[in-house]
Amino acid sequence: MPEPTMDVAELTAIDVHTHSEISKDGHLSLSPELFGASEEYFKAHGHRQPSIDEMAAYYRERKMAAVVFTVDAEHATGWPRIANEEVAEGCAAHPDVLIPFASIDPYKGKAGVREARRLVEEHGVRGFKFHPSIQGFAPNDPLAYPLYEAIEELGVPALFHTGQTGIGAGVPGGGGIRLKYSNPMLVDDVAVDFPELRIILAHPSFPWQDEALAVANHKPYVYIDLSGWSPKYFPPQLVRYANSLLKDKVLFGSDYPVITPDRWLADFEKLEIKPEVRPKILKDNAARLLGLTTNKENS
C-alpha cells in the first residue's frame, strides 16, 4: 500500500473525521431530508457541502491533514452512494493533506469484501467508515464479519459511528434510523472476534459514554475520536480518561463540515488537558494508528 507523500512533522493536527457529502456531479451522499435534519441538529443551517478539492485547500491552509469518507447506506435508505473510488481519487490528488477512507454497506456481502480489497490494494484507501444506525445493522451481526475479516487482514482501521446521531433527528420516526445499533458495546464483540483489527469509536458516545471508555480501556486496539461535539460539552469522565488511561488512544476529529476544526480547536484550547497530552490527541496518536510518516522517513 503506497504511503502518502505527507510530512507529518510539519502538520499541526490530523483530523480523523471529515465527510465528503457531495459528488462531482452534485449527488448528495444522503437524502435532502436526512441532511436537513442534521443541519438543524448541529445548528449549521445552510452550510454548503465542500468538494474534496475545497477540503484540501481548507486543511492545507491550516497545516492540517484530514481523513475523508462518505457513507454507503444503500440497503437501508435506498439512496445511491457516492463512489468510494471518487473519494479515493480526489484524496490522491492531495496526498499532502488528505487521507482516504471508504464506506461499504455490510449488506453487500461478498461483493463488498471484494470491493474492500480492491480499494486498499488499487486505490490507496487507508481505512473504512461504518455508521450502524444509518446502515441499519448491528456491528456484531455476522453479516458484517466477512468484511471485518478482510479489513483486519488488510491492516487498516475500521471507524464506527457511536452514540446518538444528528442524521434523522426530528424527522418522524427518526427517518427510520435506530439509535441502538450505535451502542459501543456492540463493537466490543467485534474487538473480541477480530483481535488484530484497529477500531475507532467515533464521537463522545452519548448516552453510552462509560461503555465506550470501558471498551477502549479494555481492548488494546480500540481508540476514541472526539468528533461531532464541541469540546466544551465533553462529559467529564471522557476528559479524565483522555488525560490519563486513554491518553495514547484518543484522537482529534471535527465532523467537518458541520463542525469546523477552527471551532473545535478554539474550544479544545479551553479544556483542561495536560500539555503533554495535547499533541498526542491532536496528531501523534492518529499518525501512529494510520502508519503515517514524514517525507524524510519515506525517502
Side-chain angles (χ1 to χ4, degrees):
M1 183 170 61
E3 290 287 336
T5 56
M6 179 181 291
D7 192 342
V8 176
E10 293 299 314
L11 297 174
T12 60
I14 299 173
D15 187 340
V16 303
H17 198 116
T18 78
H19 293 265
S20 175
E21 298 179 337
I22 192 166
S23 69
K24 291 179 180 178
D25 63 4
H27 173 71
L28 294 174
S29 60
L30 293 171
S31 71
E33 180 185 40
L34 292 180
F35 264 132
S38 178
E39 289 181 1
E40 179 66 28
Y41 181 83
F42 285 104
K43 307 303 180 188
H45 304 291
H47 93 274
R48 61 183 297 273
Q49 289 81 25
S51 69
I52 290 178
D53 289 342
E54 289 171 329
M55 292 176 71
Y58 181 92
Y59 279 89
R60 190 176 292 118
E61 181 181 1
R62 289 156 177 77
K63 294 186 177 180
M64 298 180 193
V67 169
V68 183
F69 46 70
T70 185
V71 176
D72 175 2
E74 290 186 332
H75 174 84
T77 67
W79 190 262
R81 67 179 178 177
I82 296 174
N84 286 308
E85 290 84 355
E86 180 177 324
V87 175
E89 289 166 8
C91 291
H94 305 281
D96 58 320
V97 290
L98 299 186
I99 303 160
F101 271 33
S103 180
I104 296 175
D105 193 326
Y107 286 94
K108 291 181 175 171
K110 291 181 180 179
V113 172
R114 289 194 298 271
E115 181 182 359
R117 294 188 182 281
R118 184 177 71 253
L119 288 168
V120 172
E121 294 167 356
E122 299 178 14
H123 294 274
V125 162
R126 302 187 65 87
F128 291 84
K129 161 68 181 286
F130 294 94
H131 198 308
S133 290
I134 295 177
Q135 292 173 318
F137 82 106
N140 59 357
D141 189 324
L143 80 88
Y145 275 33
L147 190 52
Y148 300 153
E149 183 178 13
I151 295 170
E152 181 183 46
E153 185 179 310
L154 291 162
V156 297
L159 184 150
F160 290 84
H161 172 94
T162 63
Q164 186 175 332
T165 178
I167 303 295
V171 177
I177 292 169
R178 300 178 189 272
L179 298 180
K180 66 180 181 180
Y181 291 145
S182 290
N183 186 329
M185 289 306 299
L186 301 177
V187 185
D188 184 64
D189 287 342
V190 180
V192 170
D193 294 337
F194 299 91
E196 298 299 320
L197 178 63
R198 271 56 178 173
I199 293 171
I200 303 170
L201 301 175
H203 314 307
S205 304
F206 173 81
W208 302 293
Q209 185 62 78
D210 289 344
E211 286 86 338
L213 293 172
V215 175
N217 191 37
H218 190 257
K219 302 298 187 294
Y221 298 136
V222 175
Y223 298 74
I224 291 175
D225 90 31
L226 300 175
S227 65
W229 290 45
S230 163
K232 66 183 177 181
Y233 298 121
F234 286 173
Q237 67 268 39
L238 175 59
V239 177
R240 186 167 64 250
Y241 271 76
N243 258 327
S244 56
L245 293 174
L246 298 181
K247 63 184 180 181
D248 295 316
K249 301 179 76 178
V250 174
L251 313 166
F252 160 48
S254 65
D255 221 3
Y256 182 80
V258 292
I259 294 180
T260 67
D262 292 350
R263 175 190 172 191
W264 194 99
L265 290 168
D267 288 341
F268 185 67
E269 279 292 320
K270 302 170 186 174
L271 206 62
E272 293 185 3
I273 297 292
K274 297 174 183 176
E276 65 271 21
V277 174
R278 285 183 181 274
K280 291 175 179 283
I281 293 174
L282 292 178
K283 182 174 75 171
D284 297 344
N285 293 342
R288 186 180 68 254
L289 172 61
L290 297 172
L292 301 175
T293 58
T294 65
N295 284 333
K296 184 176 180 180
E297 292 169 336
N298 282 330
S299 59

